[in-house]
Amino acid sequence: MVKIYVLRLGHRPKRDKRVTTHVGLVARTFGADRFVLVGSDSKVISGLNSVSNRWGDGKFEAESIKDGKKYVNEWKKSGGFVVHLTMYGLNISNFDMEKIKNKDLLVVVGAEKVEPWYYENADYNIAVANQPHSEVSALAIFLDRYYQGKELDKEYISKLSIKPMKKGKYVTVIPDELECIDLLKNEKADDKLLQHSEAVYKLAIEIGRKANANLKLITAGALLHDIGKTKVKGLDHGYVGAEILRRKRINEEIAKIAERHIGAGLTKEEIIKNRLNIPKKDYIPRTLEEKIVAEADNLINGSKKVNIEKTIESYKKEGLNNSAERILKLHEELSKKCKIDLNKIDSNNFK
Ligand code: SAM
């Protein structure tokens, strides 16, 4: 995969803080991998990195460097293209983007006057209309043309996400470990529930690492999977828990983990057969993280690790034969993915 970095020249800390921050925000949202500021402004850099961590996966980073020319030279030496955005350049409408698609790309934008050296040393000087406007708009339009709009559909698994609304604001959150414990305590979870949640969390993280799953989702999903037990004790506690989480504007992926964690999930027929007073639909784990939390829960009894056979036996005793079969299948599927029989993950190795 080629990488795209944005190099910001000429930043004047006293007057450009906001514009430079906006160049960085545009770089991130419109698909660049990194923002490089020539000169130092720790407030701008930390602000951008904080946005990346809260609203994204943190992979986009902002950094400061001293020497822009050296940076451009090294970029070219390592085989990348350099595009300088300027109103004096070739009009973007006549520029064939395919020319720059197969190599890493450094996009240079200025503030006030840009030194002639950059015009000379850029592979391409490109104008977004040969009229003066702004580095923010020029960068956004350039990146949008480069990606042909696809960058706008990128989905993030992030601490904060927006649920688009016709009116008003709706932001959901993925809570961290401490926030999850607080949530459980606020719902008056007892010690037994807290210890069980902690044990499932530790095991789920172990499995998640082996399966290369998203550990932020696993952390919150595992710690909160039984929050519904603070209200009901039956098979409906998964759904009840999910509804508690939705009311608290917890990320929908976490709510789904709670909703689908019972055994290896419940089918619509089982909801009807067991006369559960919850919406009649399937509650089967679909995502990797949903499957892992269900499996970890199946391997923990109270707060102790057990073999999957013990859990299967207890489901069979209650006449839940189909569920028992699904639990075994899920165990085999994840054991295969993790390249280890998950019965053999040792509780003493929990970190
Ligand atoms: N005379 C400057 C120039 O070189 O375009 C204008 C300075 S402008 C305030 C700051 C930056 O915005 C420029 O360095 C350039 O990167 C960008 N910019 C402004 N107008 C542009 C345009 N029409 N096309 C591409 N970039 C533009």
Side-chain angles (χ1 to χ4, degrees), residues 200-218:
V200 170
Y201 156 58
K202 286 180 176 165
L203 180 57
I205 287 286
E206 285 287 304
I207 301 173
R209 282 201 187 106
K210 291 195 190 306
N212 209 8
N214 183 298
L215 298 185
K216 280 186 188 152
L217 288 180
I218 299 250

Side-chain angles (χ1 to χ4, degrees), residues 85-87 109-112 114 119 126-129 131 133-135 138:
L85 296 181
T86 163
M87 63 194 256
V109 294
E112 218 174 19
V114 172
Y119 291 77
I126 296 182
V128 177
Q131 295 289 325
H133 50 93
S134 134
E135 52 272 46

Side-chain angles (χ1 to χ4, degrees), residues 146-261:
Y146 180 93
Y147 287 113
Q148 295 173 311
K150 293 194 178 70
E151 80 287 359
L152 302 182
D153 299 329
K154 182 170 171 183
E155 284 186 17
Y156 299 87
I157 296 175
S158 46
K159 173 102 189 147
L160 301 173
S161 343
I162 288 167
K163 184 173 168 192
M165 303 293 286
K166 206 166 166 192
K167 289 185 183 176
K169 301 175 185 173
Y170 198 112
V171 176
T172 64
V173 64
I174 299 180
D176 63 22
E177 188 181 343
L178 291 179
E179 289 165 336
C180 288
I181 306 282
D182 279 347
L183 279 166
L184 286 167
K185 288 184 176 164
N186 286 342
E187 293 302 304
K188 313 238 174 329
D190 59 19
D191 284 349
K192 205 172 140 207
L193 181 53
L194 287 171
Q195 281 158 15
H196 169 73
S197 308
E198 193 79 26
V200 170
Y201 156 58
K202 286 180 176 165
L203 180 57
I205 287 286
E206 285 287 304
I207 301 173
R209 282 201 187 106
K210 291 195 190 306
N212 209 8
N214 183 298
L215 298 185
K216 280 186 188 152
L217 288 180
I218 299 250
T219 298
L223 282 167
L224 298 172
H225 76 283
D226 265 353
I227 196 165
K229 280 204 173 162
T230 59
K231 302 283 175 292
V232 293
K233 299 290 172 212
L235 292 176
D236 51 352
H237 73 266
Y239 175 78
V240 170
E243 286 295 285
I244 295 175
L245 297 175
R246 289 184 183 114
R247 276 199 297 280
K248 293 183 180 296
R249 301 207 172 175
I250 303 299
N251 186 296
E252 179 58 22
E253 311 255 351
I254 311 293
K256 284 269 173 10
I257 290 177
E259 194 168 271
R260 296 173 172 176
H261 85 272

Side-chain angles (χ1 to χ4, degrees), residues 7-9 12 15 19 23 84-92 107-115 119 125-139 142:
L7 185 73
R8 162 68 159 165
L9 305 175
R12 296 151 296 182
R15 56 171 286 191
V19 175
V23 174
H84 169 220
L85 296 181
T86 163
M87 63 194 256
Y88 303 105
L90 303 172
N91 193 305
I92 194 168
V107 185
V108 180
V109 294
E112 218 174 19
K113 200 173 178 317
V114 172
E115 286 180 63
Y119 291 77
N125 292 288
I126 296 182
V128 177
N130 294 102
Q131 295 289 325
H133 50 93
S134 134
E135 52 272 46
V136 177
S137 54
L139 181 62
F142 173 80

